[in-house]
């Protein structure tokens, strides 16, 4: 995996999302609706929908909310959402990828650009930073799934590429193209995963000091607060000591 402190960065942001549950649920619902609209509204026949529902359940999204999001896809008045990727630079020369689902490209582009600019960053062209990331599958399990050796063995058997385990849980990385197959194989051995999704994984991390880390955290928090933004990825890395200060 990319590094212990980068995993902590992800956990910090996840914890923050948990504290703004209603906004998170609306983003998860949008993902479910888009997935249901792109294929059949039956998760057994639609892999994208199945993954979206699984991730919503992992965040304790109520079943009623999930069902409403699926039904919304068949409505005549359903908004059409476009999936857009923005790429840019943050403080300290760090790279940032933003994934959005929007029904208004101009609004979203304007908002994302403004957030980058206010943080002293800059929005780049598509492809300007994604070449330094790998688009891969990420499957996470809670510590209760088993010890590091058990999870490593299951991951190797399932055809995964990498595993990181610590007290927070297990993160398993696989090729984007084989995400569904690997997740299914792992489920047979370890049970249902906490999350299964495609991510942008930095090939090399950029170490930043406390000041730049604080600016980056604020930039990422502001991006995640935007209703159209679904996911944010960066290649910055901080020490555990700095992370502890920022998380306090």
């Amino acid at each position: 995996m990319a590094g212990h402190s980068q995993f902590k960065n992800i956990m910090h942001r996840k914890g923050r999302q948990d504290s703004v549950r209603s906004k998170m649920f609306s983003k998860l619902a949008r993902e479910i609706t888009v997935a249901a609209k792109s294929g059949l509204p039956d998760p057994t026949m639609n892999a994208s929908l199945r993954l979206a529902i699984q991730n919503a359940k992992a965040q304790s999204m109520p079943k009623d909310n999930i069902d409403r999001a699926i039904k919304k896809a068949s409505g005549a008045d359903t908004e059409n959402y476009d999936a857009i990727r923005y790429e840019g630079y943050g403080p300290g020369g760090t790279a940032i990828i933003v994934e959005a689902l929007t029904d208004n490209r101009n609004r979203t582009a304007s908002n994302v650009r403004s957030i980058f600019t206010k943080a002293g960053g800059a929005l780049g062209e598509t492809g300007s930073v994604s070449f330094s990331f790998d688009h891969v599958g990420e499957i996470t399990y809670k510590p209760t799934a088993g010890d590091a050796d058990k999870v490593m063995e299951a991951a190797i058997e399932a055809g995964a590429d990498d595993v990181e385990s610590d007290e927070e849980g297990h993160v398993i990385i696989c090729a984007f193209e084989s995400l569904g197959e690997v997740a299914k194989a792992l489920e047979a051995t370890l049970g249902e995963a906490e999350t299964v999704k495609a991510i942008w994984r930095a090939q090399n991390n950029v170490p930043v000091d406390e000041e730049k880390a604080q600016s980056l955290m604020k930039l990422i928090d502001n991006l995640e607060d935007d209703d159209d933004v679904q996911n944010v990825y960066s290649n910055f890395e901080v020490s555990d000591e700095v992370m502890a200060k920022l998380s306090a």
Side-chain angles (χ1 to χ4, degrees), residues 17 22 35 41 52 54 61 70-71 107 146 149 172 184 188 204:
Q17 286 176 332
S22 62
Q54 186 171 353
M61 186 170 172
I70 295 171
K71 286 175 184 172
R107 177 194 66 222
D149 289 341
I172 300 162
K184 189 174 181 181
N204 295 290

Side-chain angles (χ1 to χ4, degrees), residues 43-221:
T44 61
M45 305 290 288
N46 183 334
S48 297
L49 178 57
R50 186 164 61 250
L51 292 182
I53 291 172
Q54 186 171 353
N55 288 327
K57 285 180 176 177
Q59 299 298 335
S60 304
M61 186 170 172
K63 187 175 183 298
D64 286 350
N65 295 39
I66 293 171
D67 291 341
R68 275 200 303 273
I70 295 171
K71 286 175 184 172
K72 188 177 179 183
S74 59
D77 58 343
T78 306
E79 300 96 334
N80 286 312
Y81 292 108
D82 294 323
I84 307 174
R85 185 176 80 243
Y86 300 98
E87 303 180 25
Y89 303 92
T94 53
I96 298 173
I97 293 178
V98 182
E99 291 181 332
L101 284 175
T102 180
D103 57 354
N104 186 324
R105 284 171 171 261
N106 291 336
R107 177 194 66 222
T108 309
S110 175
N111 289 348
V112 170
R113 188 181 302 278
S114 174
I115 292 168
F116 268 93
T117 303
K118 285 176 182 175
L123 201 58
E125 298 294 324
T126 300
S128 59
V129 303
S130 57
F131 69 89
S132 61
F133 290 75
D134 295 319
H135 198 210
V136 297
E138 180 192 75
I139 303 161
T140 65
Y141 277 91
K142 292 179 180 177
T144 50
D147 61 23
D149 289 341
K150 178 186 175 181
V151 173
M152 176 68 79
E153 188 177 333
I156 292 170
E157 284 291 321
D161 297 328
D162 201 358
V163 183
E164 178 178 315
S165 298
D166 70 5
E167 69 276 6
E168 303 283 354
H170 310 280
V171 179
I172 300 162
I173 299 295
C174 67
F176 168 71
E177 295 79 10
S178 59
L179 177 57
E181 295 170 19
V182 173
K184 189 174 181 181
L186 285 169
E187 188 172 344
T189 311
L190 302 175
E192 190 171 345
E194 184 177 15
T195 63
V196 181
K197 58 188 175 183
I199 65 162
W200 290 92
R201 184 194 192 203
Q203 293 166 2
N204 295 290
N205 287 327
V206 177
V208 294
D209 59 24
E210 184 177 347
E211 184 183 353
K212 288 188 175 67
Q214 197 164 19
S215 299
L216 276 160
M217 285 291 204
K218 187 174 181 182
L219 167 58
I220 290 169
D221 285 348

